[in-house]
Amino acid sequence: MGQSLATRLALEGYEIEWWTSGTEAARCLVEPRTRVELVLCDIRLPDMNGEQVFAEVTRVRSVPFLFMSGFAEIDQAVRLMRSGAVDFITKPFDMTILLERLQSILSAHAPSDAEAVLGPSAAMRQTQMIIKRYANHSLPVLFQGETGTGKEVCARYLHRISPRSGQPFMAVNCAAIPGELLESELFGHEKGAFTGAHQLHRGYAERAGQGILFLDEIGDMPIHLQSKLLRLLEDGTFHRLGSERPIAFQARIVCATHHDLASAPVGQFRQDLYYRLSTLPLELPPLRQRPEDVLWLAHVFLDDFLEGQESRVRGIGPLGEEALVTHSWPGNVRELRNRVQRAAAVSDTAWLLPHDFFPEGSRRLSQLWSSETKTLSHAREIAERRQILNALSANDGHVSRAAQALGISRTTLWGKMKRFGIEAQRGGSET
């Protein structure tokens, strides 16, 4: 039955990952890099039952489960629905009914193209969906990821769609403010609290009101302030420096860090504070793991930069686009934004070229764009590769849909992707 389902769903255009035991499924699904939009799971499995798989996976991540149950397992399926499973289907079932259920669930749990505001890739659409779930709560949120992945952008998006959107968003960079000043900036101080305190100062925690207090680079907060932040979380109050009067804290705390706080050395970050801050965690993938977002973001940054000013720049040329999508982006989204803005500011051409983005002239680019490689066949391969990337991006990584949009067979597209070194993106339509 599993083989039959996998084959049929693949023919319908879904990207399938098929696990033949509960242990294997649970082990793979708890891995952050395993990106799925839906799990189709039998209740009876060779080594455990589907309820155990559901319990193990949902301890560490949120993913919709559709259960297949026999008539004798209906009570268990209903219990799973109450625990958070999205639906169940009773065996034997008609494949048409299953396909309708799958499409209904995927449509309900994925943002539409028009709603994609963080990026069109499956990874960022999933991130956007999770942020929407987090938005209506008041629990702390912890964004983790490499420097430049867009953690503050996600925090501001959470604020914008939350019930607190009309309240302040106060951002504090814990790494940019010297440790001896951070306490005063965060909690404020009374007049005369220390030398130079000539007047009352209300800190970020107070000015945030009922909005959001965003603590960027929380992993760099001095250890003595971590205990005060923990007290704020537990008691809901804080004190200005030089005052014994408690002030009620009404804002929501959202944090970001590029450090692995869970395994931080003793004395660097309090584990009890980490557990309080990571009530609602979210890991942001680096840009190199979501190439579908590169051109989308590049055009967004270019449009924003050109808005309201006169410039001879009209857009990004085909060679420039190819240079962008083949770069590894060690600086992530921040590097992409900076390179796009710099290129638009200094370029003498209407259409931005590789040298505009990468003036340092790396060996890779010189090899890619040297006169010896600018043959007609090479230019055709560049255009073909870019068109395939665009089609995959427009269809959320669905190979079958991209092949249909390009007017070629799925097999032909797979062959070209292999030749051009284009990897299929996990997620998007995996079931």
Side-chain angles (χ1 to χ4, degrees), residues 247-322:
I247 299 173
F249 179 71
Q250 299 175 307
R252 181 182 189 181
I253 288 185
V254 177
C255 300
T257 182
H258 70 278
H259 295 293
D260 182 5
L261 300 184
S263 56
V266 176
Q268 181 173 317
F269 200 87
R270 296 180 59 123
Q271 288 299 293
D272 48 1
L273 177 59
Y274 165 71
Y275 293 131
R276 288 301 303 269
L277 294 177
S278 61
T279 306
L280 299 177
L282 185 53
E283 181 84 20
L284 298 185
L287 188 56
R288 63 182 173 274
Q289 292 181 7
R290 43 188 177 102
E292 309 97 318
D293 292 335
V294 172
L295 293 183
W296 184 86
L297 287 168
H299 287 288
V300 169
F301 294 147
L302 181 61
D303 291 344
D304 289 345
F305 182 81
L306 296 178
E307 185 177 2
Q309 63 173 297
E310 289 191 11
S311 173
R312 65 184 302 168
V313 175
R314 296 176 58 191
I316 303 173
L319 298 182
E321 288 188 340
E322 180 67 14

Side-chain angles (χ1 to χ4, degrees), residues 176-191:
I177 302 175
E180 61 272 15
L181 297 179
L182 185 56
E183 182 174 3
S184 173
E185 289 300 310
L186 191 56
F187 300 115
H189 61 254
E190 297 286 342
K191 180 179 179 180

Side-chain angles (χ1 to χ4, degrees), residues 93-336:
F93 50 77
D94 186 274
M95 181 58 72
T96 303
I97 296 176
L98 175 62
L99 293 174
E100 289 175 354
R101 296 275 188 93
L102 291 175
Q103 188 57 48
S104 175
I105 294 168
L106 291 171
S107 298
H109 285 78
S112 68
D113 292 337
E115 294 175 329
V117 296
L118 300 178
S121 68
M124 293 313 291
R125 288 161 67 87
Q126 176 75 3
T127 295
Q128 183 177 331
M129 181 178 69
I130 293 173
I131 291 175
K132 284 185 175 181
R133 293 178 185 170
Y134 287 177
N136 291 325
H137 298 281
S138 295
L139 298 170
V141 177
L142 178 63
F143 292 105
Q144 293 179 282
E146 294 179 10
T147 299
T149 49
K151 296 184 288 292
E152 182 170 348
V153 172
C154 289
R156 291 185 180 275
Y157 174 65
L158 183 146
H159 173 250
R160 189 167 70 248
I161 64 174
S162 75
R164 300 173 184 264
S165 59
Q167 301 297 321
F169 179 93
M170 302 302 298
V172 186
N173 190 321
C174 300
I177 302 175
E180 61 272 15
L181 297 179
L182 185 56
E183 182 174 3
S184 173
E185 289 300 310
L186 191 56
F187 300 115
H189 61 254
E190 297 286 342
K191 180 179 179 180
F194 51 84
T195 303
H198 300 302
Q199 60 184 7
L200 171 70
H201 172 67
R202 292 182 172 84
Y204 288 108
E206 190 171 351
R207 284 182 279 156
Q210 297 181 7
I212 284 180
L213 177 62
F214 176 60
L215 302 176
D216 197 9
E217 297 301 346
I218 186 67
D220 294 311
M221 176 177 280
I223 195 73
H224 74 279
L225 284 184
Q226 294 176 25
S227 60
K228 294 193 175 184
L229 180 60
L230 180 62
R231 191 180 311 123
L232 180 149
L233 286 165
E234 292 179 342
D235 300 341
T237 62
F238 62 94
H239 296 80
R240 298 194 198 110
L241 285 175
S243 173
E244 296 182 358
R245 182 175 65 88
I247 299 173
F249 179 71
Q250 299 175 307
R252 181 182 189 181
I253 288 185
V254 177
C255 300
T257 182
H258 70 278
H259 295 293
D260 182 5
L261 300 184
S263 56
V266 176
Q268 181 173 317
F269 200 87
R270 296 180 59 123
Q271 288 299 293
D272 48 1
L273 177 59
Y274 165 71
Y275 293 131
R276 288 301 303 269
L277 294 177
S278 61
T279 306
L280 299 177
L282 185 53
E283 181 84 20
L284 298 185
L287 188 56
R288 63 182 173 274
Q289 292 181 7
R290 43 188 177 102
E292 309 97 318
D293 292 335
V294 172
L295 293 183
W296 184 86
L297 287 168
H299 287 288
V300 169
F301 294 147
L302 181 61
D303 291 344
D304 289 345
F305 182 81
L306 296 178
E307 185 177 2
Q309 63 173 297
E310 289 191 11
S311 173
R312 65 184 302 168
V313 175
R314 296 176 58 191
I316 303 173
L319 298 182
E321 288 188 340
E322 180 67 14
L324 291 176
V325 298
T326 55
H327 186 58
S328 61
W329 300 112
N332 291 297
V333 179
R334 183 178 292 123
E335 179 191 356
L336 174 60

